[in-house]
Amino acid sequence: MEAISTFVSEINGLAWGPPMLVMILGVGLFLSLGLKLMPIMKLGAGFRLMWNGRARGGDDDGDIPPFQALMTALSATVGTGNIAGVATAVFLGGPGALFWMWLTALVGMATKYSEAVLAVRFREVDERGNHVGGPMYYIRNGLGSKWAWLGVLFALFASIAAFGIGNTVQANSVADVLEVNFSIPHWATGLALMVLVGLVLVGGIKRIGQVASALVPFMAVSYVLIGLVVLAINANEIPEAFSKIFSYAFSPSAAEGGFAGAAVWAAIRYGVARGIFSNEAGLGSAPIAHAAAQTKDPVRQGMVAMLGTFIDTIIVCSITGLVIITSGVWTSGETGAALTSLAFETGLPGFGNYVVAIALAIFAFTTIIGWSFYGERSIEFLFGVKAIVPYRIVWVLAIPLGATVNLGFIWLVADTLNAMMALPNLIALLLLSPVVFRLTKDYFDKQKALGIK
């Protein structure tokens, strides 16, 4: 077992090494330039689309309103990465890692936009009448049968990786934090999660969309507001925090307290890697949710989809990172969720750690239901609709297992498969980029002709 673990660890180091990080950033930058920075320039238009009537109650072809599709995607992305992932990036890479997370998100908006455009453009209707899409479908339908094997690889990696990043790891995180803060045993958390997730999955994508659209805005806004309270308490430290973020992004972080110091490369590596882990731009997961949106226009859904990366990283992750840096505890030697908990507790004594515990529990729960949909669609692509119910049963049964066992090896395998998911998707995005650019140009030319800004 030790030999296998060592082998997988080496593969993981290669999978998430410099070539992969450069490829993800490179594809995002290429798409940003090809789109003439449209995702950044049209950010306001994207938010208006998200809140208008059509987005919240779509009546076009599809299964759920565009807003619910975004919330389903966000339910899977806003998770432990926003709490533990950001803290780990700052602990290993210093404050400068936050700058590289922001940069990853800005180019990642173009990646997420392109993924959703292709997902809606090349989606299909399955034998149950549901709209299905994502990288496996836009690879097969957009690139042709000679590339179908690449879509199969993506679906295979996604259906297995989902059990790690989207299920057992999340359940374990919830169980840990609830035991530490509320003395709830791991097995009780596992059983409770199993029942709650099972009740949601019975209703399929429509139930997932409804639950996500109710929970995600509530939990994200609540977390951000409480984070802003802590930042208001630490207001005098905010200018210094930004100074550290920008200076340490381009110069080494000196050793300080429990912080061992970090080279610029560490800030880049951990900022980019944790940013991708948090917002999933380039992994190919989010377009699976956006393919179910009730819309006839791929570009409109793409503009809604790109907001997911902005909300996840530029807003939620920034709150976590700034709270940690302004609280001064980034040099304490703590890491992960414990570091974030300490930062909130420093600002809000006797209360802050419970905020992080509850936020982490809700974030992880919504991630489990969001990723269940990704895994389900992937297994359907491989084996047809008959495989959905068995997959759901195994998914639900894996939750209490994940809550009660040591997940070191499972985490390693899942993290590696996540990188292997990204490869087929990034190749498809590059090859299909002319389709994205053409659809985008046609849409905005039409808008301009109609006098719409």
Side-chain angles (χ1 to χ4, degrees):
M1 188 66 189
E2 189 175 334
I4 295 173
S5 183
T6 302
F7 174 73
V8 174
S9 184
E10 290 176 358
I11 297 295
N12 181 270
L14 291 172
W16 281 114
M20 172 58 78
L21 300 183
V22 168
M23 186 174 182
I24 289 175
L25 278 180
V27 170
L29 184 60
F30 169 75
L31 293 170
S32 295
L33 295 176
L35 292 166
K36 300 176 182 176
L37 302 181
M38 184 280 292
I40 297 173
M41 305 301 289
K42 295 288 185 180
L43 186 63
F47 276 104
R48 287 194 295 274
L49 278 175
M50 181 181 77
W51 286 112
N52 73 17
R54 289 181 64 185
R56 299 183 69 82
D59 55 2
D60 291 331
D61 295 338
D63 304 319
I64 55 176
F67 177 77
Q68 288 190 11
L70 173 62
M71 291 304 109
T72 300
L74 268 176
S75 73
T77 53
V78 178
T80 55
N82 299 80
I83 292 177
V86 177
T88 302
V90 173
F91 172 73
L92 294 172
L98 199 57
F99 171 86
W100 294 104
M101 288 186 79
W102 291 337
L103 191 64
T104 302
L106 291 177
V107 300
M109 286 171 62
T111 307
K112 194 72 71 76
Y113 166 83
S114 302
E115 289 175 332
V117 168
L118 294 173
V120 174
R121 172 64 181 83
F122 293 109
R123 67 186 178 181
E124 298 178 4
V125 178
D126 67 16
E127 60 191 77
R128 299 181 306 169
N130 292 327
H131 288 71
V132 294
M136 54 281 203
Y137 289 95
Y138 55 70
I139 288 171
R140 183 173 71 188
N141 299 334
L143 296 177
S145 56
K146 65 180 181 180
W147 290 94
W149 62 273
L150 201 61
V152 170
L153 280 182
F154 174 86
L156 181 64
F157 295 148
S159 60
I160 300 171
F163 278 98
I165 191 71
N167 185 318
T168 53
V169 169
Q170 302 296 330
N172 200 264
S173 297
V174 176
D176 278 344
V177 77
L178 292 185
E179 184 182 52
V180 169
N181 290 281
F182 302 103
S183 301
I184 299 172
H186 278 63
W187 64 266
T189 299
L191 288 178
L193 278 176
M194 180 179 73
V195 172
L196 290 172
V197 171
L199 289 172
V200 175
L201 297 194
V202 167
I205 180 56
K206 292 185 179 178
R207 179 78 60 79
I208 292 172
Q210 290 165 357
V211 172
S213 63
L215 270 181
V216 171
F218 168 75
M219 70 178 187
V221 170
S222 299
Y223 182 76
V224 167
L225 287 177
I226 295 170
L228 288 174
V229 170
V230 178
L231 289 179
I233 293 169
N234 300 333
N236 292 338
E237 302 299 325
I238 292 176
E240 178 64 18
F242 276 102
S243 174
K244 287 178 178 176
I245 289 167
F246 289 109
S247 64
Y248 287 156
F250 302 99
S251 60
S253 308
E256 187 178 338
F259 179 67
V264 175
W265 166 241
I268 298 172
R269 177 187 174 186
Y270 293 110
V272 173
R274 293 300 95 186
I276 293 162
F277 172 74
S278 177
N279 63 50
E280 298 179 11
L283 288 191
S285 50
I288 299 174
H290 289 288
Q294 291 170 338
T295 183
K296 292 178 181 177
D297 197 317
V299 171
R300 288 175 67 91
Q301 193 59 34
M303 291 177 70
V304 171
M306 70 189 190
L307 302 178
T309 301
F310 183 86
I311 293 168
D312 176 273
T313 306
I314 302 297
I315 297 178
V316 183
C317 285
S318 294
I319 290 293
T320 302
L322 287 170
V323 166
I324 289 170
I325 297 168
T326 59
S327 297
V329 298
W330 66 279
T331 60
S332 66
E334 292 283 2
T335 186
L339 176 55
T340 305
S341 184
L342 178 61
F344 274 81
E345 179 67 13
T346 301
L348 299 169
F351 174 66
N353 61 314
Y354 295 117
V355 169
V356 174
I358 294 168
L360 186 62
I362 298 175
F363 285 0
F365 169 70
T366 58
T367 298
I368 293 172
I369 62 173
W371 267 91
S372 71
F373 181 66
Y374 297 161
E376 184 180 301
R377 284 290 190 256
S378 298
I379 211 74
E380 178 184 346
F381 179 83
L382 294 171
F383 303 109
V385 295
K386 65 181 182 297
I388 291 176
V389 173
Y391 189 85
R392 285 181 184 172
I393 292 171
V394 176
W395 183 268
V396 171
L397 292 176
I399 294 170
L401 181 68
T404 53
V405 301
N406 187 305
L407 293 180
F409 181 69
I410 292 175
W411 171 259
L412 192 61
V413 171
D415 195 43
T416 305
L417 287 173
N418 271 151
M420 296 173 80
M421 277 172 62
L423 274 173
N425 183 52
L426 293 170
I427 292 169
L429 287 174
L430 283 175
L431 295 176
L432 290 170
S433 59
V435 177
V436 177
F437 300 155
R438 176 176 54 80
L439 289 172
T440 304
K441 183 178 183 302
D442 290 348
Y443 176 84
F444 284 106
D445 283 350
K446 190 182 296 182
Q447 295 289 97
K448 188 175 181 182
L450 294 171
I452 302 172
K453 292 185 180 180

